[in-house]
PDB file of all heavy atoms in Angstrom:
ATOM      1  N   ILE O  55     -38.841 -20.469  28.157  1.00  0.00           N
ATOM      2  CA  ILE O  55     -39.502 -19.450  27.400  1.00  0.00           C
ATOM      3  C   ILE O  55     -40.477 -20.067  26.542  1.00  0.00           C
ATOM      4  O   ILE O  55     -41.691 -19.651  26.369  1.00  0.00           O
ATOM      5  CB  ILE O  55     -38.541 -18.405  26.856  1.00  0.00           C
ATOM      6  CG1 ILE O  55     -37.788 -17.704  27.829  1.00  0.00           C
ATOM      7  CG2 ILE O  55     -39.202 -17.618  25.777  1.00  0.00           C
ATOM      8  CD1 ILE O  55     -36.806 -16.733  27.357  1.00  0.00           C
ATOM      9  N   ALA O  56     -40.039 -21.070  25.887  1.00  0.00           N
ATOM     10  CA  ALA O  56     -40.908 -21.771  24.843  1.00  0.00           C
ATOM     11  C   ALA O  56     -42.177 -22.414  25.456  1.00  0.00           C
ATOM     12  O   ALA O  56     -43.308 -22.188  24.957  1.00  0.00           O
ATOM     13  CB  ALA O  56     -40.105 -22.949  24.086  1.00  0.00           C
ATOM     14  N   HIS O  57     -42.023 -22.956  26.634  1.00  0.00           N
ATOM     15  CA  HIS O  57     -43.249 -23.442  27.446  1.00  0.00           C
ATOM     16  C   HIS O  57     -44.123 -22.299  27.762  1.00  0.00           C
ATOM     17  O   HIS O  57     -45.367 -22.511  27.631  1.00  0.00           O
ATOM     18  CB  HIS O  57     -42.720 -24.166  28.784  1.00  0.00           C
ATOM     19  CG  HIS O  57     -42.232 -25.565  28.429  1.00  0.00           C
ATOM     20  ND1 HIS O  57     -41.419 -26.235  29.303  1.00  0.00           N
ATOM     21  CD2 HIS O  57     -42.520 -26.346  27.518  1.00  0.00           C
ATOM     22  CE1 HIS O  57     -41.211 -27.550  28.803  1.00  0.00           C
ATOM     23  NE2 HIS O  57     -41.882 -27.554  27.705  1.00  0.00           N
ATOM     24  N   ALA O  58     -43.648 -21.215  28.375  1.00  0.00           N
ATOM     25  CA  ALA O  58     -44.412 -20.069  28.701  1.00  0.00           C
ATOM     26  C   ALA O  58     -45.323 -19.678  27.509  1.00  0.00           C
ATOM     27  O   ALA O  58     -46.496 -19.303  27.660  1.00  0.00           O
ATOM     28  CB  ALA O  58     -43.565 -18.997  29.227  1.00  0.00           C
ATOM     29  N   ILE O  59     -44.714 -19.598  26.321  1.00  0.00           N
ATOM     30  CA  ILE O  59     -45.376 -19.165  25.077  1.00  0.00           C
ATOM     31  C   ILE O  59     -46.456 -20.116  24.791  1.00  0.00           C
ATOM     32  O   ILE O  59     -47.599 -19.820  24.496  1.00  0.00           O
ATOM     33  CB  ILE O  59     -44.520 -18.970  24.029  1.00  0.00           C
ATOM     34  CG1 ILE O  59     -43.524 -17.794  24.258  1.00  0.00           C
ATOM     35  CG2 ILE O  59     -45.255 -18.717  22.646  1.00  0.00           C
ATOM     36  CD1 ILE O  59     -42.375 -17.599  23.286  1.00  0.00           C
ATOM     37  N   LEU O  60     -46.238 -21.358  24.788  1.00  0.00           N
ATOM     38  CA  LEU O  60     -47.244 -22.531  24.525  1.00  0.00           C
ATOM     39  C   LEU O  60     -48.371 -22.503  25.507  1.00  0.00           C
ATOM     40  O   LEU O  60     -49.464 -22.686  25.136  1.00  0.00           O
ATOM     41  CB  LEU O  60     -46.440 -23.893  24.609  1.00  0.00           C
ATOM     42  CG  LEU O  60     -45.610 -24.163  23.385  1.00  0.00           C
ATOM     43  CD1 LEU O  60     -44.971 -25.496  23.472  1.00  0.00           C
ATOM     44  CD2 LEU O  60     -46.422 -24.143  22.142  1.00  0.00           C
ATOM     45  N   GLU O  61     -47.976 -22.215  26.799  1.00  0.00           N
ATOM     46  CA  GLU O  61     -49.121 -22.300  27.802  1.00  0.00           C
ATOM     47  C   GLU O  61     -50.080 -21.227  27.705  1.00  0.00           C
ATOM     48  O   GLU O  61     -51.130 -21.149  28.181  1.00  0.00           O
ATOM     49  CB  GLU O  61     -48.456 -22.197  29.177  1.00  0.00           C
ATOM     50  CG  GLU O  61     -48.029 -23.653  29.724  1.00  0.00           C
ATOM     51  CD  GLU O  61     -47.101 -23.638  30.837  1.00  0.00           C
ATOM     52  OE1 GLU O  61     -47.015 -22.546  31.543  1.00  0.00           O
ATOM     53  OE2 GLU O  61     -46.400 -24.664  31.010  1.00  0.00           O
ATOM     54  N   GLY O  62     -49.700 -20.055  27.101  1.00  0.00           N
ATOM     55  CA  GLY O  62     -50.445 -18.846  26.854  1.00  0.00           C
ATOM     56  C   GLY O  62     -50.742 -18.114  28.135  1.00  0.00           C
ATOM     57  O   GLY O  62     -49.761 -18.167  28.978  1.00  0.00           O
ATOM     58  N   GLY O  63     -51.775 -17.307  28.344  1.00  0.00           N
ATOM     59  CA  GLY O  63     -51.918 -16.513  29.478  1.00  0.00           C
ATOM     60  C   GLY O  63     -51.027 -15.300  29.302  1.00  0.00           C
ATOM     61  O   GLY O  63     -50.910 -14.825  28.156  1.00  0.00           O
ATOM     62  N   ASN O  64     -50.579 -14.789  30.546  1.00  0.00           N
ATOM     63  CA  ASN O  64     -49.779 -13.527  30.469  1.00  0.00           C
ATOM     64  C   ASN O  64     -48.395 -13.845  30.089  1.00  0.00           C
ATOM     65  O   ASN O  64     -47.445 -14.044  30.884  1.00  0.00           O
ATOM     66  CB  ASN O  64     -49.830 -12.748  31.705  1.00  0.00           C
ATOM     67  CG  ASN O  64     -49.248 -11.370  31.508  1.00  0.00           C
ATOM     68  OD1 ASN O  64     -48.585 -11.040  30.647  1.00  0.00           O
ATOM     69  ND2 ASN O  64     -49.724 -10.512  32.453  1.00  0.00           N
TER      70      ASN O  64
END
Side-chain angles (χ1 to χ4, degrees):
I55 291 179
H57 277 156
I59 293 171
L60 285 176
E61 276 164 20
N64 191 342

